[in-house]
Amino acid sequence: MSGRKPSYEELETRLERAEAVLDSLRRGEFDLIIGLREPIVVQFKSLAEEKERLAREWQTTFDAVGDAIWLLDGDQRILRTNRAAEKFFQRPADALIGRHCWEISHGTPRPIPECPLLRLRRSLRREQTEMPVGDRLLYVTVDPILDAGGKLTGSVHVVSDITERKRAEERIRRSEETYRNLFCNAQVGLFRTRISDGKILESNEQLARMFGYDTREEFIAEYATLQNYVDAGTREKMLERIRRAGSIEDFEARFYRKDRSIFWARYSARIDPEQGWIEGVAEDITEQKLTEETLKIQLRILSSFHTIPDEEMFDEVLKVILDVMHSPSGLFGYLDGALVVPTMTYQMWDSCRIADKKTVFPPAQWGDSSWGRAIREKKANYSNDPSTKTPAGHIPVARHINMPVLFRDEVIGLLTLANSETEYTEADVRRLEAIADQVAPLLSARLQRVRAEKEKDRLRTELAQAQKLESVGRLAGGVAHDFNNMLGIILGYGDILMQKLHPGDPLRDDVKKIVEAGKRSASLTRRLLAFSRKQTLQPEVLNLNSVLRNLEKMLRRLIGEDIDLKLTLADDLAHVLIDPGQFDQVIMNLAVNARDAMPTGGKLTIETANVAIEEQIQTAVPPGQYVMISVTDSGCGMDETVLPHIFEPFFTTKEKEKGTGLGLSTVYGIVKQSGGHIRAYSGPGQGSTFKIFLPPTHVKPQVEKISLQERRQIGGGKRVLVVEDEESMRELLRTILSRLGFEVFVAANGGEALLRVEEQGLEPDLVLTDVVMPGMSGAVLAERLRRSQPDLKVLFMSGYTDDAIVHHRMSDHGTPFIQKPFSIDDIAEKIRRVLQNG
Amino acid sequence: MTKDGSPSGTASQRHGLYRFRLFVAGNEVNSQRAKETLFHLAGTYLADRHEIVVVDVMQDYQAALDSRIVVVPTLLVESPFERVIVGSLSDEKAVLDALGLAPERRPQ
């Protein structure tokens, strides 16, 4: 230190230095102040740094909090805000600080009524509230900031977004609820039963419900275990096992419910011998069992259908079904028109005391039986009524189910179960229905196969039958033709003899008998020829309805009063081309046949219809359009042994004097020769139906009326040339025609005829020629003659028609033709018509 | 007393030699910072032409009293001119100014 007075500069320097020191002091840049005796350690700077550090730490912490935090002043203005709050309110701190909290939070000009700060002002304690804002749920906490005197100076406002937490809580709550429901509704029953008698000591609601009781109290009070095991000995078996092992697991048994329906239960239990009880859990496994069983049945039925021959199949399937349905008796049949029952249980069959045990039941025999009803209604029925009526000798039926087997809405079979130990229920019906549904497609396939095979057999038999008829026809035709010529001669000379005899001559009666016998013989051979299709037809375009109406009166006389005749005629029936006389013959023969089948009366229905045959297999008639005439009687019918032979000539079931055995053969021949088909349907006691299918024609019908007058004045001196190879016939014709007033010329063959016309200049008005002759045929002759005389009238005659004649167009519609043998009247009328129609 | 830099005999004879005497208080924050700053500035601007004596007042209190030091840290510039700089020397620019070593007057 200097003792001299400091200079101004010195003072100034010292002042500057003092100021620098002070300035440094303010900045806290000193560690030490040099005192006079000891140093004063100064720590300004570190204090400041510490403060700064704390502030930084605080802000970082503040910002690190996920909740939006505001520091509010006493007027609820925002003093500070953390990062989360900026983010939450989507504004920077600048835009928040200084504003009232409600402006930011709610966008209102004043605090909202629910504001927890309002409550805080009174309570001066933490307040909180949940507040939904938009789709978020907020949790707001406010804490007061009090000064030393306990006065409110501000608050801390914390907003937490609890939306996710709430949602998570909700999810947990729901899953807990689901779990609780699951538990409450589970099919698990809890029980405790007394060992000695099985009495239920304790149960839960589920077990009570399982047994069909409304409450567990009711269940415990009423239920008696021993009576509720369906299968005897089950409880004993269970007790034996549980005593041995101390517990059982997954024991399965059938129980009765309160309503006596049956269910399957599976239970696990343990035994407590000291307490004398068994306790455990049980569940209803009926559905599961049914599914298992259904699968098993399905497999067994499937394998039965596929591996077992026909006759055993029905048996095997029935066994499976009876087994699963716990029924001792039953039957399994299929529908083939009638109900056919190839199988029923042996018990049923053996115990049955019905005298005439049947396995085929036609619909007429179904009556009002419950199984018949099931088939008719296509609907199952069942009964637990022990007084169900059965035919005498039938096994007693205490209870039964009838289940139709439906395939594509058609009943194709029937399943009947009977006499189970317990009553049948709706549930049994549903099970059996499920089984029937499984059986249906298999049965259908099986039946179709069997039917197809049968049909094939039938067609084969039919073909053999047709071939047989054909050969018989040829034989009969051959004989009849020769015989016919003889008859012609017999009849011709018989006629002549009659005319020559004086009316009072005693020989007249004898000759008359000869002629009548000859006529009957002629009719017989005509029918034989008809059958062998060797008679010549004169087909015309006809409406069969009018033919039938004309015939009606005569038919009524023919069939008698006891038989009711009904004609059901289609309105728009198509025309057919057929010989009207022959068609009459067909209808009469069928009517007579029907009459003879109904000796005590009945009903004869004749029906006409236009039909389209689509599938040959159904009728053995080729597909196409037809006019069908059906003749149905309600008579005794025919069985399988008769039906195949009915069209054979000389086959008859009638007494010797009554039938010739040619009626149906004639029908067959006529129909066949007319290009048609005939089918017969019959069964014992079911009547018979004959169906004739004729091809329709589009040719217009022509009405021809033939006058019957002046027959004997036809000749009138006209010239007729007779060409006939057989001399006696030639001579007969010469005699007849002379008597009809003709000038007659004869030739023995075609050549001779040509000679007469072309060489000798004969100009006949009519040529009557045989069709079949040695050398030149009648048709060729006619053609030759017409070269010179195009308008020449020719009338053909023949004993039969065969393929050769058909080739000569003899059976063409309108070709003049006369069938041998003929009466004088026949030939007179024919010639008259030929000459008129020039 | 701690000596640093070149030997005082030869260094004092050189032109523009800077002699510093820095009073510090142990390793206290400001003292530490002042030491670091002085060594850094001297090394940067006065390479080979400075001499620094660091006096720890906590060990040699009398030296502070003798030099009439009031606060620590204080830097005494003894040469080429006399100057007292107080504080932690944290304002480097002001220090360089006080030492006449401001950038615009810095020798190139």
Side-chain angles (χ1 to χ4, degrees):
Chain A
M1 299 280 172
S2 152
R4 65 176 178 95
K5 247 180 150 184
S7 68
Y8 173 75
E9 285 80 15
E10 262 181 339
L11 283 173
E12 203 171 38
T13 306
R14 281 164 72 177
L15 182 63
E16 259 177 35
R17 192 184 289 183
E19 276 178 354
V21 167
L22 276 174
D23 191 41
S24 294
L25 271 172
R26 271 200 292 274
R27 292 202 308 272
E29 286 189 2
F30 287 103
D31 297 325
L32 202 66
I33 295 173
I34 306 298
L36 287 180
R37 281 183 208 90
E38 51 186 314
I40 299 163
V41 177
V42 187
Q43 291 184 325
F44 300 100
K45 190 65 181 178
S46 54
L47 267 177
E49 277 183 350
E50 181 66 6
K51 186 179 159 199
E52 215 174 273
R53 190 176 61 81
L54 282 173
R56 245 191 343 264
E57 281 173 7
W58 188 81
Q59 185 66 41
T60 306
T61 310
F62 193 46
D63 285 339
V65 177
D67 296 334
I69 303 173
W70 284 338
L71 205 61
L72 302 176
D73 69 8
D75 293 330
Q76 294 184 222
R77 273 180 223 277
I78 299 165
L79 291 176
R80 296 189 74 140
T81 172
N82 71 346
R83 193 76 35 86
E86 289 174 50
K87 205 173 147 204
F88 186 84
F89 293 100
Q90 294 179 329
R91 295 185 207 194
D94 298 350
L96 295 171
I97 290 168
R99 315 284 288 272
H100 282 112
C101 67
W102 56 78
E103 279 179 62
I104 306 298
S105 302
H106 313 295
T108 52
R110 61 190 65 82
I112 61 166
E114 307 86 54
C115 180
L117 285 164
L118 298 179
R119 298 202 299 276
L120 175 131
R121 283 181 186 286
R122 286 190 299 275
S123 68
L124 296 181
R125 284 166 50 188
R126 165 179 282 209
E127 292 291 344
Q128 49 221 353
T129 190
E130 277 184 16
M131 195 176 286
V133 174
D135 64 340
R136 316 298 293 176
L137 185 66
L138 305 181
Y139 188 75
V140 181
T141 314
V142 288
D143 283 285
I145 301 172
L146 305 175
D147 65 9
K151 198 170 154 267
L152 184 75
T153 60
S155 58
V156 181
H157 180 279
V158 181
V159 178
S160 315
D161 186 344
I162 58 169
T163 313
E164 292 309 320
R165 202 181 75 209
K166 274 282 171 183
R167 281 184 188 160
E169 278 173 7
E170 180 64 17
R171 273 199 298 277
I172 291 167
R173 196 186 57 74
R174 277 209 208 113
S175 89
E176 278 173 353
E177 194 177 349
T178 308
Y179 178 75
R180 241 192 334 273
N181 288 340
L182 201 66
F183 186 77
C184 291
N185 300 336
Q187 294 276 355
V188 175
L190 303 173
F191 64 86
R192 179 179 290 163
T193 57
R194 199 150 60 200
I195 299 172
S196 57
D197 58 359
K199 180 168 171 43
I200 297 282
L201 302 171
E202 197 50 75
S203 138
N204 66 348
E205 294 288 345
Q206 280 88 343
L207 189 74
R209 275 201 291 277
M210 211 183 284
F211 277 88
Y213 290 84
D214 292 335
T215 64
R216 55 183 278 282
E217 289 79 11
E218 190 194 355
F219 174 57
I220 293 169
E222 292 182 10
Y223 186 80
T225 307
L226 295 185
Q227 292 159 27
N228 279 62
Y229 274 92
V230 173
D231 303 300
T234 307
R235 185 160 194 269
E236 286 68 25
K237 204 192 294 173
M238 182 275 290
L239 280 177
E240 196 247 355
R241 267 203 239 168
I242 201 169
R243 283 202 173 104
R244 185 152 29 88
S247 67
I248 45 164
E249 270 189 30
D250 295 341
F251 190 85
E252 292 178 3
R254 294 196 298 154
F255 290 93
Y256 290 114
R257 293 197 187 91
K258 186 186 180 189
D259 62 4
R260 303 304 284 170
S261 59
I262 293 173
F263 74 100
W264 273 98
R266 176 189 292 154
Y267 60 94
S268 299
R270 58 171 212 94
I271 191 166
D272 191 334
E274 281 177 29
Q275 301 281 358
W277 66 48
I278 292 167
E279 55 189 3
V281 295
E283 60 182 319
D284 186 332
I285 56 162
T286 310
E287 286 298 316
Q288 191 183 328
K289 272 277 168 191
L290 284 182
T291 312
E292 272 173 29
E293 280 195 4
T294 308
L295 273 174
K296 270 192 225 157
I297 298 164
Q298 211 164 8
L299 273 176
R300 286 172 67 185
I301 290 176
L302 258 176
S303 66
S304 299
F305 267 98
H306 285 130
T307 58
I308 295 171
D310 282 356
E311 55 275 16
E312 291 168 37
M313 184 274 291
F314 283 94
D315 211 33
E316 195 57 35
V317 171
L318 180 64
K319 256 189 252 168
V320 173
I321 293 169
L322 291 175
D323 187 25
V324 299
M325 296 297 298
H326 304 282
S327 295
S329 302
L331 59 83
F332 177 22
Y334 62 88
L335 256 94
D336 192 11
L339 172 68
V340 184
V341 184
T343 193
M344 48 184 80
T345 52
Y346 293 110
Q347 192 211 332
M348 227 166 136
W349 184 248
D350 296 343
S351 321
C352 180
R353 293 286 167 261
I354 296 176
D356 179 18
K357 281 192 253 187
K358 280 185 194 158
T359 57
V360 178
F361 303 89
Q365 295 173 24
W366 295 356
D368 56 355
S369 65
S370 58
W371 52 267
R373 190 151 45 85
I375 297 172
R376 275 196 299 268
E377 293 174 358
K378 298 183 183 178
K379 194 167 165 287
N381 57 55
Y382 73 105
S383 159
N384 291 305
D385 179 4
S387 63
T388 300
K389 267 212 232 156
T390 52
H394 196 284
I395 67 160
V397 176
R399 48 182 75 101
H400 64 278
I401 306 182
N402 293 302
M403 175 64 64
V405 179
L406 288 167
F407 188 71
R408 294 188 182 140
D409 207 35
E410 285 284 315
V411 181
I412 60 165
L414 176 75
L415 276 166
T416 293
L417 307 183
N419 299 348
S420 73
E421 280 175 47
T422 60
E423 296 203 331
Y424 289 118
T425 62
E426 279 294 338
D428 290 323
V429 174
R430 279 198 302 276
R431 286 188 67 198
L432 187 56
E433 190 170 45
I435 293 171
D437 284 348
Q438 289 165 18
V439 167
L442 301 169
L443 180 61
S444 166
R446 179 66 76 112
L447 290 180
Q448 266 175 23
R449 209 184 67 206
V450 170
R451 276 186 199 137
E453 276 167 11
K454 266 194 192 163
E455 185 63 18
K456 217 160 77 188
D457 283 350
R458 198 180 60 75
L459 286 175
R460 200 178 290 131
T461 315
E462 209 160 75
L463 180 66
Q465 195 63 28
Q467 283 169 344
K468 187 169 148 195
L469 286 177
E470 192 66 36
S471 51
V472 172
R474 278 180 194 284
L475 186 67
V479 174
H481 175 244
D482 289 343
F483 187 54
N484 220 18
N485 277 339
M486 306 301 166
L487 281 175
I489 294 158
I490 293 168
L491 278 174
Y493 283 104
D495 271 353
I496 293 166
L497 197 55
M498 277 292 278
Q499 287 181 10
K500 279 184 177 168
L501 283 175
H502 189 272
D505 197 308
L507 285 176
R508 255 188 100 93
D509 276 354
D510 300 343
V511 177
K512 203 174 172 185
K513 278 178 187 144
I514 293 172
V515 171
E516 274 168 9
K519 277 183 178 162
R520 277 203 300 277
S521 304
S523 128
L524 199 62
T525 50
R526 193 158 28 239
R527 285 154 78 180
L528 264 180
L529 285 167
F531 164 68
S532 62
R533 285 178 261 159
K534 285 186 173 166
Q535 84 185 327
T536 306
L537 301 181
Q538 293 281 288
E540 290 173 16
V541 176
L542 294 177
N543 181 320
L544 295 183
N545 285 350
S546 45
V547 176
L548 287 168
R549 279 192 205 101
N550 289 336
L551 270 178
E552 191 176 351
K553 211 172 183 179
M554 196 175 78
L555 285 173
R556 284 191 198 284
R557 270 204 307 276
L558 189 68
I559 59 180
E561 285 177 354
D562 292 341
I563 295 170
D564 191 16
L565 173 68
K566 192 184 172 199
L567 296 186
T568 307
L569 306 178
D571 289 339
D572 53 347
L573 196 68
H575 290 103
V576 293
L577 193 61
I578 193 167
D579 185 313
Q582 302 289 6
F583 182 73
D584 289 356
Q585 182 83 49
V586 166
I587 297 300
M588 308 263 276
N589 283 7
L590 290 176
V592 167
N593 202 64
R595 179 197 65 195
D596 294 346
M598 299 183 285
T600 57
K603 198 166 151 188
L604 176 65
T605 308
I606 301 179
E607 188 185 348
T608 59
N610 297 314
V611 297
I613 301 294
E614 277 166 10
E615 226 183 311
Q616 186 166 3
I617 198 147
Q618 288 173 350
T619 56
V621 173
Q625 295 291 329
Y626 290 97
V627 170
M628 186 204 72
I629 309 96
S630 76
V631 178
T632 304
D633 66 60
S634 60
C636 55
M638 292 173 281
D639 64 23
E640 288 167 8
T641 59
V642 174
L643 205 51
H645 302 289
I646 53 173
F647 295 124
E648 288 175 21
F650 308 114
F651 179 88
T652 181
T653 57
K654 299 171 191 170
E655 292 162 41
K656 270 220 171 109
E657 308 82 60
K658 280 196 174 169
T660 57
L662 280 173
L664 290 178
S665 311
T666 308
V667 169
Y668 180 86
I670 292 170
V671 171
K672 279 287 176 191
Q673 200 176 356
S674 304
H677 306 273
I678 183 164
R679 298 275 301 133
Y681 305 87
S682 188
Q686 293 180 44
S688 304
T689 296
F690 288 88
K691 285 187 181 176
I692 295 166
F693 299 88
L694 295 171
T697 181
H698 300 293
V699 178
K700 290 260 159 57
Q702 41 173 255
V703 183
E704 262 184 89
K705 275 289 167 191
I706 307 150
S707 165
L708 300 177
Q709 310 292 320
E710 304 168 285
R711 185 173 293 165
R712 294 188 184 266
Q713 288 85 47
I714 300 164
K718 287 193 178 101
R719 286 182 293 269
V720 59
L721 175 58
V722 173
V723 189
E724 166 66 63
D725 59 326
E726 195 164 335
E727 196 190 347
S728 55
M729 192 68 195
R730 197 163 59 233
E731 290 311 311
L732 174 65
L733 284 169
R734 187 205 288 276
T735 312
I736 292 172
L737 293 175
S738 301
R739 295 181 76 86
L740 288 175
F742 286 98
E743 187 182 348
V744 183
F745 302 87
V746 296
N749 53 51
E752 202 178 311
L754 282 176
L755 186 76
R756 295 221 113 175
V757 173
E758 290 175 0
E759 300 297 325
Q760 298 173 1
L762 175 67
E763 288 185 8
D765 296 298
L766 174 72
V767 174
L768 176 61
T769 175
D770 199 2
V771 175
V772 183
M773 292 178 294
M776 189 182 293
S777 77
V780 173
L781 171 66
E783 203 185 319
R784 281 287 298 273
L785 290 175
R786 278 183 177 142
R787 282 182 197 164
S788 51
Q789 293 184 53
D791 298 330
L792 181 64
K793 284 166 180 145
V794 180
L795 175 58
F796 295 96
M797 56 187 174
S798 179
Y800 61 35
T801 57
D802 60 13
D803 287 352
I805 295 166
V806 172
H807 282 154
H808 287 104
R809 301 188 305 278
M810 284 306 109
S811 46
D812 279 3
H813 178 55
T815 302
F817 182 88
I818 187 163
Q819 171 92 33
K820 287 195 273 189
F822 40 76
S823 67
I824 293 174
D825 283 354
D826 289 343
I827 190 79
E829 174 162 342
K830 203 74 180 182
I831 288 174
R832 192 191 138 273
R833 276 172 65 184
V834 170
L835 290 174
Q836 263 185 1
N837 290 347
Chain B
M1 180 183 281
T2 312
K3 269 196 157 181
D4 191 56
S6 313
S8 57
T10 53
S12 61
Q13 289 165 354
R14 271 198 241 147
H15 170 76
L17 175 77
Y18 280 75
R19 279 170 51 197
F20 300 110
R21 187 175 295 264
L22 179 64
F23 290 88
V24 297
N27 283 320
E28 289 297 319
V29 178
N30 290 304
S31 304
Q32 192 66 29
R33 187 173 293 169
K35 263 191 279 185
E36 284 167 10
T37 308
L38 179 61
F39 284 124
H40 166 68
L41 290 178
T44 307
Y45 297 96
L46 301 167
D48 297 333
R49 49 187 189 112
H50 69 276
E51 194 177 288
I52 296 170
V53 176
V54 177
V55 181
D56 184 354
V57 179
M58 305 302 274
Q59 293 178 20
D60 189 357
Y61 193 66
Q62 195 54 50
L65 291 177
D66 291 348
S67 300
R68 290 190 284 173
I69 296 301
V70 183
V71 293
V72 174
T74 291
L75 175 65
L76 289 185
V77 185
E78 296 174 333
S79 168
F81 44 80
E82 279 191 14
R83 199 125 227 195
V84 179
I85 302 172
V86 296
S88 64
L89 310 183
S90 55
D91 187 349
E92 286 187 20
K93 192 172 170 292
V95 174
L96 287 176
D97 220 9
L99 293 180
L101 295 174
E104 60 272 18
R105 281 178 276 165
R106 229 175 92 185
Q108 293 300 308

